[in-house]
Amino acid sequence: MHAEVAIMTNQERAEEPVLRHDWTQGEAEALFALPFSELLFQAQTIHRRHFDPNEVQVSSLLSIKTGACSEDCAYCPQSAHYETGVKRESLMSLEDVLEAAQRAREEGATRFCMGAAWRSPRDGDLEAIAAMVEGVKALGMETCVTAGMLSDEQARRLKEAGLDYYNHNLDTSESYYGEIITTRTYQDRLDTLQRVRDAGMHVCCGGIVGMGESAADRAGLLIGLANLPRHPESVPINLLVRVEGTPLADTAALDPFDFVRTVAVARIMMPASRVRLSAGRSDMSDEMQALCFLAGANSIFYGDRLLTTENPQAQRDRRLFARLGLRMAGLGCWVP
Ligand code: SAM
Ligand code: DTB
Ligand code: SF4
């Protein structure tokens, strides 16, 4: 048993939580060890202080450059190190990207996230991405890009183009990181995150669970995120999509309640951030997703595809939202 976090008293519940950046491993593990109902109650109580609990932000994802990535991330179907059957595709044209963004907007997405399978972008590619950002902004959508490590100059260029969010994940705890990626370090990731912050963009940063890590590693991931100088505005919690051909293809499935616990602890540790129920929803029941929303998730990837793997059909999500009385943020109503 962990002594540091006891079940909250009524007085403690009434106190406004501050944004903390000094979480300890013991405190985070103690949250994970709480009885499930107590943890969800604490998370939902904090959630309601910061957000409308019935509103969910929806982002749509597009892979603008697919496969043949030089990195060896053990979870990733796009790594050139593994045979996964993902077809290599070069950078998409501006026209095709804008057409996809328009379709996503019509479906109800308010943010358009463009993902590129690179260790880091070349300067020429970055110019093409800057044009995509400008085009998507002109459609009235928020923009997000994930394209690997950035230099200071590249971060400034994306900010200048109007980029709202840059996604760059810590992926797992610092101590488990070496089991998952060897071609770039945890510190490399922190450096890119700092450059994104310094350039004045919002940070989207989270990780993956279900990679064979321990509960202590899940606590460590959330500590890495919450103890950044500023909390990421957007925190994607991905459930590993086990893709044939990757080293993690045969990893044992995570207990769904441990996934929900991770969402709840993320909500408690980063009370004002959007916590996104990200990859892996195709493997989740509607009931599990409802528990995630109760635990404080208030953002999803919406649309039939993630980058290279499937996501629930938009129609299924609309039905789920209607059944749960959830609204898409920015729309004021469900998309019929
Ligand atoms: N190459 C860039 C990078 O790694 O930062 C951007 C694209 S990369 C695909 C973005 C994120 O997708 C990764 O950091 C990882 O968290 C997530 N991801 C990739 N494959 C996944 C999988 N099989 N299951 C869950 N999340 C995955
Ligand atoms: C994030 O944290 N999850 C998204 C997004 N950021 C770019 C990616 C999920 C990818 C899942 C595997 C695939 O579809 O290739
Ligand atoms: Fe490349 Fe990103 Fe996949 Fe790692 S996660 S192999 S960096 S595309």
Side-chain angles (χ1 to χ4, degrees), residues 75 77 116 118 146 148 168-169 171 184 208 238-241 279 307:
Y75 49 77
W118 285 317
T146 181
H168 199 64
N169 290 337
D171 275 352
R184 58 180 162 167
I208 310 176
N238 296 277
L239 176 63
L240 174 70
V241 181
L307 292 172

Side-chain angles (χ1 to χ4, degrees), residues 254-265:
L254 183 72
D255 180 339
F257 294 126
D258 285 336
F259 184 86
V260 179
R261 280 191 176 90
T262 309
V263 170
V265 178

Side-chain angles (χ1 to χ4, degrees), residues 132-149:
M132 291 171 190
V133 168
E134 282 163 12
V136 175
K137 289 285 284 183
L139 294 174
M141 298 180 88
E142 288 184 316
T143 48
C144 178
V145 166
T146 181
M149 296 183 286

